Amino acid sequence: MPKINIEERFIIPTNHMKEFAPLLYRYAPEDCFRLTKFYDDCGQMFWPHDKHLRTVRCLFLQTGQGEFKLVVAEDIEKLFDYSDKNIPATCIRCDVPANELANFMEPELGIASFISVRHPHHNQRVEMLCMLADIYFPSKDNAA
């Protein structure tokens, strides 16, 4: 299955999110989070109609070089491999419905799926949904 190239316009904005300092359970290699800012989602990515769902606290990392990764918050050390001390990044702590987590962690299209339902801007969600629809339901007009 093809992977979607996620462009800069899909970066999740952090306006109105609260900055926090992460708690690391072991030393981060070579200060890999030096240029990373950590934020708490304050409802921008999780809506009231989802409040009844069981959730998992996660970390969503996005870098200025198009790298995106979602990990369960207690596994913050997994982000070490995706962080670079010389590349600015943002990491957003957010609640993810437990029944959607496996889909969002899928290596090929998981991040695209996450953005398609969790991005705070409607236009970006719709655009990503259309990109996913082209992959899952290719039209005869798009066949090569």
Side-chain angles (χ1 to χ4, degrees), residues 3 15 45 56 67 73 75 85 103 128 131-132:
K3 190 173 183 176
N15 337 8
M45 299 165 57
V56 177
E67 190 72 43
D75 296 332
K85 66 180 179 178
N103 184 41
M128 189 59 73
M131 293 167 79
L132 286 166

Side-chain angles (χ1 to χ4, degrees), residues 4-66:
I4 292 178
N5 182 21
I6 301 173
E7 299 170 13
E8 190 173 320
R9 70 180 180 277
F10 291 108
I11 287 179
I12 294 176
T14 56
N15 337 8
H16 309 294
M17 292 185 184
K18 294 179 182 173
E19 202 166 338
F20 77 94
L23 175 63
L24 301 177
Y25 299 104
R26 65 181 175 92
Y27 180 72
E30 296 184 39
D31 198 21
C32 69
F33 291 141
R34 183 171 61 91
L35 295 178
T36 302
K37 292 191 182 259
F38 289 83
Y39 295 92
D40 257 327
D41 172 38
C42 296
Q44 295 87 337
M45 299 165 57
F46 194 77
W47 298 285
H49 62 269
D50 288 337
K51 293 294 182 197
H52 70 284
L53 298 173
R54 190 174 71 80
T55 61
V56 177
R57 181 63 48 104
C58 291
L59 296 168
F60 178 73
L61 179 77
Q62 51 192 9
T63 72
Q65 292 192 328

Side-chain angles (χ1 to χ4, degrees), residues 88-130:
T90 56
C91 187
I92 302 169
R93 185 167 52 189
C94 56
D95 292 323
V96 173
N99 62 341
E100 297 177 10
L101 187 60
N103 184 41
F104 295 157
M105 299 283 219
E106 197 267 330
E108 296 296 320
L109 298 174
I111 293 299
S113 296
F114 179 82
I115 290 171
S116 74
V117 295
R118 295 289 154 194
H119 198 287
H121 295 155
H122 178 76
N123 291 346
Q124 274 73 18
R125 287 194 310 271
V126 170
E127 187 175 349
M128 189 59 73
L129 278 170
C130 290

Side-chain angles (χ1 to χ4, degrees), residues 68-81:
F68 296 85
K69 186 68 179 169
L70 182 72
V71 300
V72 174
E74 63 192 33
D75 296 332
I76 189 172
E77 288 83 5
K78 289 182 179 178
L79 292 180
F80 293 167
D81 295 336

